[in-house]
């Protein structure tokens, strides 16, 4: 059963760019960095099976941190994060890609990192290659690929897994219009199977296309949570914060 | 939360490392053999012509056995230590059991090491030493070296995330280690009161055990095996505990 639940989650980062020994000891012993910036403060929400939820907010609002918490990449300072189900985190396209390996080799490693089992990889490989539209290029080294081809491969792998929860961080604006449309259709199909979709973006039109529900975060606070159209309108109409204030 | 098929993921990461290393080299695996052979030739020259050492008639075999064991250790330790930083994007962006990153780096080097072991065995046989039943100890002592270096790498790689100075400490220690393990000298030349330094150093113990097995055709003393095992396993346990404790905030510091 797929479920995500945040209860009064707070998270901060160390302000210091360099770590000194005593400070490190303090961080480890007290579990919270000294001299820190709050990234998320007292955030609570829950997401159930088959929901497609967007997270909107300006740069530095804490959106990616929220996703990292769901993926278990980092831990909250206080509050609890509860995640049930197999998570596939698309925090960047092509995790583990290496330019000297061929498209096919990179595909396999990337799929393994996204949580595919060996049999799932074998079964999905032809469909992934077909979806990417790379054709014979799949057996060429990745360094011969254009940026667009690289992203196509990364995205094609990501949307062929069978996760219970799919996290997508700002990686949707890839490829040309046609490929993007194909990706959106594919995500709709995935959602229909009951997968939770959690997408982060600062582009309202993108979330309006994909998500039924939107969470609005700004300066680490939850400012809105509800039907996509409502929250996105409120977000568009908000008074403009000055750059940097969101920090 | 980490519901990956862990073994498969580990194997994928090891193969990735291995493929990347050899992909663009026209001589490929040959480089794994050339380095120890050249070192062996130079050290043999120094320790037979400049500082003659009468303890063994086959200095070159003795030196190569020390070199292969030492190279494996130092290469694994230095590359394992920086592995988390080298793979920072994986640590930050991909939910996978993080221990797999230093461990896969060490295992990729192990493949490299197996090629050098083959070279050592070949040289031993060519030099006229027989294959004996005591050779069954070889895989065991090498496995213990692997256990020891994995433990060290878990601790130092985790610390390196927080203090980038750790890698320099590791490099310096490696240089010291070359002289603290019997690569260019034999164990019998060491004054007795320093022996304990060697018995409790797993890398030295592996070199000594190797020479017992390959050159003297006897099993290593049970005491050596016992100390090697205890120290290596203790390091692995401590390294893992250290890694677990430090891994929570990796993503925040990379």
């Amino acid at each position: 059963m797929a479920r995500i639940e945040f209860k009064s989650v707070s998270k901060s980062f160390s302000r210091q760019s360099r770590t000194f020994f005593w400070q490190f000891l303090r961080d480890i012993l007290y579990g919270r960095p000294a001299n820190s910036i709050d990234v998320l403060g007292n955030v609570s929400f829950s997401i159930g099976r088959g929901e497609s939820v967007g997270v909107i907010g300006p740069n530095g609002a804490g959106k990616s941190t929220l996703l990292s918490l769901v993926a278990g990449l980092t831990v909250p300072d206080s509050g609890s994060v509860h995640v049930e189900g197999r998570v596939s985190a698309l925090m960047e396209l092509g995790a583990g890609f290496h330019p000297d390996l061929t498209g096919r080799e990179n595909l396999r490693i990337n799929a393994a990192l996204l949580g595919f089992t060996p049999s799932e990889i074998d079964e999905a490989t032809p469909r992934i290659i077909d979806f990417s539209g790379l054709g014979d290029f799949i057996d060429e080294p990745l360094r011969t690929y254009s940026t667009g081809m690289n992203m196509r491969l990364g995205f094609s792998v990501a949307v062929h897994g069978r996760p219970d929860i799919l996290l997508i961080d700002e990686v949707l604006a890839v490829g040309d219009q046609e490929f993007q449309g194909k990706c959106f259709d594919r995500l709709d199909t995935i959602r229909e199977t009951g997968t939770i979709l959690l997408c982060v973006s600062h582009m309202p039109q993108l979330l309006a296309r994909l998500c039924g529900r939107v969470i609005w975060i700004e300066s680490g606070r939850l400012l809105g949570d509800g039907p996509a159209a409502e929250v996105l309108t409120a977000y568009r109409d908000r008074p403009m914060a000055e750059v940097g204030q969101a920090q | 939360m980490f519901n990956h098929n862990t073994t498969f993921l580990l194997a994928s990461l090891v193969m990735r490392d291995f493929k990347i290393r050899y992909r663009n080299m026209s001589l490929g695996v040959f480089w794994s053999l050339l380095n120890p052979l050249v070192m062996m030739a130079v050290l043999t020259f120094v320790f037979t012509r400049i500082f003659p050492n009468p303890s063994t008639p086959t200095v070159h075999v003795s030196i190569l056995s020390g070199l292969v064991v030492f190279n494996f250790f130092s290469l694994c330790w230095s590359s394992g230590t920086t592995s988390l930083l080298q793979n920072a994007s994986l640590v930050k962006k991909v939910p996978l059991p993080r221990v797999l990153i230093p461990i896969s780096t060490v295992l990729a080097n192990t493949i490299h090491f197996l090629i050098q072991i083959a070279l050592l065995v070949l040289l031993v046989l060519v030099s006229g030493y027989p294959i004996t039943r005591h050779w069954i100890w070889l895989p065991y002592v090498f496995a213990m070296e692997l256990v020891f270096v994995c433990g060290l790498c878990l601790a130092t790689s985790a610390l390196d995330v927080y203090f980038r100075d750790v890698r320099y400490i590791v490099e310096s220690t490696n240089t010291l280690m070359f002289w603290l393990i019997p690569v260019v000298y034999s164990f019998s030349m060491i004054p007795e009161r320093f022996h304990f330094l060697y018995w409790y150093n797993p890398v030295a113990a592996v070199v000594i055990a190797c020479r017992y097995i390959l050159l003297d055709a006897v099993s290593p003393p049970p005491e050596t095996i016992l100390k090697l095992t205890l120290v290596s396993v203790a390091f692995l346990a401590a390294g893992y505990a250290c890694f677990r404790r430090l891994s929570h905030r990796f993503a925040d510091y990379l």
Side-chain angles (χ1 to χ4, degrees):
Chain A
M1 194 62 191
R3 202 162 65 87
I4 302 173
E5 192 165 340
F6 271 50
K7 279 187 190 148
S8 340
V9 171
S10 297
K11 170 81 187 168
S12 55
F13 285 113
S14 173
R15 194 185 291 271
Q16 224 92 43
S17 54
R18 287 185 62 193
T19 324
F20 297 100
F21 189 69
W22 63 269
Q23 190 205 333
F24 161 77
L25 280 181
R26 252 174 80 167
D27 290 3
I28 290 300
L29 293 176
Y30 296 105
R32 187 194 144 92
N35 191 12
S36 57
I37 319 163
D38 289 328
V39 191
L40 286 178
N42 205 16
V43 173
S44 302
F45 60 86
S46 82
I47 300 172
R49 188 182 145 83
E51 272 197 277
S52 169
V53 181
V55 181
I56 195 128
N59 290 330
K63 306 185 295 290
S64 297
T65 305
L66 189 147
L67 237 55
S68 297
L69 286 164
V70 176
L73 293 166
T74 182
V75 289
D77 294 338
S78 62
S80 73
V81 174
H82 187 77
V83 178
E84 277 171 39
R86 181 171 137 180
V87 181
S88 192
L90 205 46
M91 313 289 280
E92 80 184 338
L93 285 180
F97 273 12
H98 192 280
D100 286 341
L101 301 180
T102 67
R104 195 185 295 271
E105 288 167 330
N106 277 304
L107 178 161
R108 293 186 68 86
I109 285 157
N110 186 233
L113 286 170
L114 287 173
F116 287 53
T117 62
S119 57
E120 280 173 351
I121 295 181
D122 291 336
E123 186 242 340
T125 300
R127 287 188 291 126
I128 293 172
I129 295 170
D130 183 53
F131 190 88
S132 70
L134 286 168
D136 292 340
F137 267 101
I138 199 70
D139 291 311
E140 298 294 324
L142 211 69
R143 65 183 130 78
T144 63
Y145 284 27
S146 68
T147 315
M149 287 160 74
N150 211 313
M151 288 180 152
R152 271 170 175 251
L153 181 62
F155 208 88
S156 304
V157 180
V159 297
H160 281 86
R162 289 197 204 117
D164 300 315
I165 299 170
L166 181 60
L167 309 176
I168 304 178
D169 189 0
E170 303 277 15
V171 291
L172 278 169
V174 301
D176 44 42
Q177 284 284 314
E178 189 200 331
F179 188 72
Q180 207 174 3
K182 213 160 121 182
C183 291
F184 285 161
D185 292 345
R186 176 75 200 168
L187 289 175
D188 288 337
T189 318
I190 291 176
R191 200 182 51 214
E192 279 155 22
T193 63
T195 298
I196 292 181
L197 222 58
L198 187 59
C199 310
V200 158
S201 182
H202 55 269
M203 293 159 73
Q205 62 277 21
L206 214 143
L207 295 182
R209 163 71 182 80
L210 271 174
C211 306
R213 173 181 162 195
V214 168
I215 292 172
W216 168 13
I217 298 190
E218 197 152 339
S219 309
R221 309 273 154 195
L222 197 78
L223 295 187
D225 180 358
E230 251 170 59
V231 178
L232 290 174
T233 312
Y235 176 74
R236 279 202 196 89
D237 297 343
R238 78 197 193 284
M240 270 309 219
E242 276 174 47
V243 175
Q245 204 170 313
Q247 300 291 316
Chain B
M1 188 173 297
F2 293 135
N3 41 18
H4 284 297
N5 185 337
T6 311
T7 323
F8 169 63
L9 196 49
L10 183 62
S12 305
L13 288 171
V14 172
M15 280 320 291
R16 172 177 183 263
D17 243 44
F18 190 73
K19 277 181 189 161
I20 291 169
R21 176 168 313 158
Y22 289 109
R23 183 56 48 99
N24 284 329
M25 290 186 228
S26 29
L27 292 176
V29 174
F30 175 70
W31 293 112
S32 291
L33 304 176
L34 190 67
N35 174 287
L37 281 177
V38 170
M39 277 296 280
M40 179 189 79
V42 173
L43 290 172
T44 304
F45 173 77
V46 171
F47 288 95
T48 53
R49 308 290 151 179
I50 303 177
F51 301 107
N53 163 8
S55 68
T56 165
T58 49
V59 177
H60 62 292
V61 185
S62 175
I63 287 179
L64 187 69
S65 64
L67 267 179
V68 166
V69 171
F70 171 77
N71 280 348
F72 172 62
F73 169 77
S74 66
L75 201 67
C76 283
W77 197 21
S78 55
S79 61
T81 299
T82 52
S83 60
L84 289 169
L85 266 101
Q86 293 286 332
N87 293 293
S89 71
L90 289 188
V91 178
K92 278 176 87 88
K93 310 265 184 181
V94 183
L96 80 168
R98 268 99 175 231
V99 284
L100 294 185
I101 292 172
I103 299 293
S104 69
T105 306
V106 169
L107 289 181
N109 279 313
T110 306
I111 303 180
H112 199 72
F113 174 57
L114 290 176
I115 300 164
Q116 297 195 1
I117 293 280
L119 175 73
L120 175 64
V121 167
L122 191 72
L123 190 77
V124 165
L125 294 177
V126 167
S127 306
Y129 292 96
I131 298 178
T132 64
R133 66 193 159 83
H134 304 287
W135 282 37
I136 53 168
W137 279 108
L138 278 180
Y140 184 79
V141 297
F142 291 141
M144 280 303 126
E145 186 181 8
L146 181 64
V147 166
F148 172 65
V149 80
C150 280
L152 268 185
C153 284
L154 285 174
T156 54
S157 63
L159 285 168
D160 194 53
V161 172
Y162 300 96
F163 322 106
R164 310 287 157 95
D165 319 44
V166 170
R167 72 187 62 177
Y168 301 108
I169 300 172
V170 168
E171 274 171 30
S172 307
T173 313
N174 264 335
T175 315
L176 283 178
M177 207 60 159
F178 181 81
W179 299 103
L180 285 177
I181 66 170
V183 175
V184 292
Y185 50 89
S186 67
F187 184 60
S188 55
M189 299 158 77
I190 304 159
E192 187 129 15
R193 64 199 155 107
F194 295 120
H195 277 189
F196 72 97
L197 278 177
Y198 291 82
W199 292 128
Y200 287 105
N201 175 350
V203 188
V206 170
V207 174
I208 296 164
C210 266
R211 290 191 184 147
Y212 274 127
I213 298 163
L214 293 174
L215 306 184
D216 302 338
V218 294
S219 291
E223 201 197 356
T224 313
I225 295 288
L226 187 69
K227 283 175 180 162
L228 171 64
T229 309
L230 287 179
V231 176
S232 302
V233 172
F235 263 89
L236 183 65
Y240 184 66
C242 178
F243 193 92
R244 281 292 296 267
R245 188 80 190 84
L246 296 177
S247 63
H248 296 297
R249 287 197 168 267
F250 279 171
D252 302 354
Y253 281 86
L254 280 173

